[in-house]
Amino acid sequence: MKSKPRTWLLWLGYLLWAVFVNAVNVWILTPIVEDYGILGVVGVVLISTVWLLGLPTSSRRRWVIFTMFALLVGQGLSDMANSPSLRAVALAVVMCLGLIALAAWVGKVRMRHLVVTAVAMSAISAWLPFSEWPYFTRFVIVSSGNLPVSSTDFQSLPLAAVQTPQGQAVVTVKKVRETTTGFTQRVMNATASTDQLQNVLTSYNHLYELVSLSGSNSRVGLRKPTPQELSAVNPITLDPQFPFTLAHWSVSGGRVYESFTPVLTPDQIAKVGLNPTAMSSELVVLSKQVQLEEQSNWDQVLSELGVSPRSTGLQVVHGVLQGTSNGLSVHVKTGEGQVIGFGHFTNLQMNQVLFEGLNTLKVISLANGGAVVATYQGNAAHPLSTDVIIGALDASGRNVVFVNSSPAIIIQANSNGTWKQVYQAPNRSLRFEASVLFSGDKVPEILTNDISLMQPSTIRYFTSYSYQNGSLVRNWRVYRPGIAKVIPVQFSPTARVPDLLATVSGTGKFVVLKRHDIPVVPIASVLLALIIAGGYALRLRVRAVGKGVER
């Protein structure tokens, strides 16, 4: 009869191995395959073979079957946890029972060990599925959630970060589960115009409520946004298909709701997709019309909430950038467009504005009434994208412009007003997300979504680079596919570095990440090597004991 300590060690060994082998799968084996393609598959086969040959012959089948059982249960539960429903729970139970029976029959693993392992893995997946564990290689997960949205309306959650006295908050949306009674009431209340009634009729099952993500470094929660927060939102950021859809907002019971109507016909959208440069001037006019209509509707909503739009101090009126910024009066002829943000582009001592117009970027100095000090003009062959990010390549304080065109580029304004392209992506899939200086780093990390190194796939992964001598050198990569948008957010005003808020494509998932410097992958690799070495040592010991008995 086995002693109690040995029995408990066996139970613990099964549980720890089940968790560890799933962690090794998402931290080590999957990245090798995703980055190196067929060479990665060969590498994984070699690692598996070395591990397999190290197992004692007497227990090899049991441990191989149990390992396959743990991986299948972990992966299956992760897939079902990502789409929670009663049907998914039922499928999970059936899957676990089937795998338990198969592993007990084929591998001769004790039923109670399999049952306890399946229960433990279910608890872990309910807390955080193994498919989300790739984040742990570089981050602590502060908070996560899944807001209901329709993928036909939002490819990912819209994110509008605003400043509050308690730190930053992020305004986003969640789908409203509308009842027939509620919809009928909305139709009865739509008496202002025919357009309002048409909007209500087309928005059935496509109605969203604005919500706010806020909190501290330890916890981020969901709540109703305050009117002051909404007053700082640029409404265009809440329209995922601007300018091809027109967003509508309304107030009911102190809550703000959003719906959409199409602006272009399907034929017009197809024409834009086939020849975007030919439609560029028409799109500028359309964008301006949609922007003005959305801003008017948004201002009306804010008025109902008792607040006014929180202005940055600068606005474009009839092609002229005018207003006040940091006490400086500005009046500059720019043409139609919008202000992207502030920074130091040509001179560290000057406060400057980055302005985006029709296939053009302009740096405007705020001194002496304002003046255009640098202009970058795109061309028909490589038009500028409207997806532009301001960031830094080093710790000097000077800003560059990340342009998510196809391919993506980084451009820098010189002190004499000329521009220099300092980097062009080697493929058309790379997308810049942010430039963040983390604690302990000497230079900012350039956060991107990028494809694998050698794998012929369009799947993009959350990747960090540093800029060195005209090239991007990879720091790390999180092998969690589907990350669609990443923004730095400082939820607490006392935080030294921002957290990262990431969304997942095709879903309403979001995750708040805090950077850490623990070498997770090297530690897991060393543990795996020690386990494999321990298996060979045990096998040699068993062989030596067997020879001693023969003598």
Side-chain angles (χ1 to χ4, degrees), residues 90-103:
L91 286 174
V93 172
V94 172
M95 177 198 69
C96 289
L97 292 176
L99 289 174
I100 287 170
L102 193 61

Side-chain angles (χ1 to χ4, degrees), residues 214-294:
S214 62
S216 64
N217 288 338
S218 58
R219 187 65 184 171
V220 175
L222 200 67
R223 58 171 174 76
K224 182 178 77 172
T226 65
Q228 289 72 27
E229 290 171 356
L230 294 176
S231 69
V233 170
N234 179 357
I236 293 178
T237 60
L238 300 176
D239 185 352
Q241 300 179 48
F242 175 87
F244 305 113
T245 58
L246 178 64
H248 307 271
W249 295 279
S250 60
V251 181
S252 177
R255 298 181 181 274
V256 179
Y257 297 91
E258 180 179 44
S259 59
F260 307 95
T261 54
V263 175
L264 298 181
T265 65
D267 289 342
Q268 290 174 315
I269 295 175
K271 182 180 178 182
V272 173
L274 291 172
N275 193 1
T277 55
M279 288 285 292
S280 57
S281 58
E282 289 87 344
L283 284 177
V284 170
V285 174
L286 177 66
S287 299
K288 189 64 177 178
Q289 291 174 345
V290 173
Q291 181 182 6
L292 289 174
E293 191 166 347
E294 288 187 346

Side-chain angles (χ1 to χ4, degrees), residues 17-283:
W17 177 250
V19 175
F20 180 72
V21 74
N22 275 278
V24 166
N25 181 46
V26 298
W27 292 344
I28 301 175
L29 303 183
T30 297
I32 291 176
V33 174
E34 296 293 350
D35 244 0
Y36 298 101
I38 187 65
L39 294 179
V41 173
V42 173
V44 170
V45 170
L46 289 175
I47 293 172
S48 302
T49 302
V50 171
W51 168 74
L52 181 65
L53 294 177
L55 294 173
T57 307
S58 60
S59 59
R60 180 178 296 167
R61 182 173 68 170
R62 184 171 73 253
W63 280 104
V64 169
I65 295 299
F66 180 78
T67 299
M68 294 175 63
F69 166 80
L71 288 172
L72 289 171
V73 169
Q75 184 62 50
L77 290 174
S78 293
D79 292 343
M80 293 172 189
N82 288 327
S83 302
S85 64
L86 290 177
R87 182 173 180 270
V89 172
L91 286 174
V93 172
V94 172
M95 177 198 69
C96 289
L97 292 176
L99 289 174
I100 287 170
L102 193 61
W105 176 50
V106 177
K108 307 303 180 185
V109 185
R110 294 197 176 188
M111 187 75 73
R112 59 176 179 268
H113 291 153
L114 297 170
V115 171
V116 171
T117 300
V119 171
M121 300 278 279
S122 300
I124 291 172
S125 295
W127 167 66
L128 190 72
F130 285 108
S131 59
E132 308 298 315
W133 281 39
Y135 291 121
F136 288 145
T137 58
R138 291 292 168 179
F139 298 96
V140 173
I141 297 178
V142 176
S143 184
S144 64
N146 191 1
L147 300 179
V149 295
S150 172
S151 59
T152 59
D153 296 327
F154 296 92
Q155 291 189 356
S156 63
L157 287 174
L159 304 175
V162 297
Q163 193 65 46
T164 74
Q166 294 76 35
Q168 284 186 303
V170 179
V171 177
T172 184
V173 301
K174 70 173 183 179
K175 192 174 183 179
V176 176
R177 294 186 176 181
E178 199 166 20
T179 63
T180 303
T181 304
F183 177 69
T184 303
Q185 186 63 43
R186 283 209 300 136
V187 171
M188 297 296 292
N189 292 336
T191 57
S193 66
T194 305
D195 289 342
Q196 185 186 17
L197 178 60
Q198 179 67 24
N199 173 45
V200 171
L201 293 175
T202 56
S203 67
Y204 178 68
N205 205 31
H206 293 274
L207 183 66
Y208 294 86
E209 179 189 347
L210 300 192
V211 292
S212 178
L213 291 168
S214 62
S216 64
N217 288 338
S218 58
R219 187 65 184 171
V220 175
L222 200 67
R223 58 171 174 76
K224 182 178 77 172
T226 65
Q228 289 72 27
E229 290 171 356
L230 294 176
S231 69
V233 170
N234 179 357
I236 293 178
T237 60
L238 300 176
D239 185 352
Q241 300 179 48
F242 175 87
F244 305 113
T245 58
L246 178 64
H248 307 271
W249 295 279
S250 60
V251 181
S252 177
R255 298 181 181 274
V256 179
Y257 297 91
E258 180 179 44
S259 59
F260 307 95
T261 54
V263 175
L264 298 181
T265 65
D267 289 342
Q268 290 174 315
I269 295 175
K271 182 180 178 182
V272 173
L274 291 172
N275 193 1
T277 55
M279 288 285 292
S280 57
S281 58
E282 289 87 344
L283 284 177

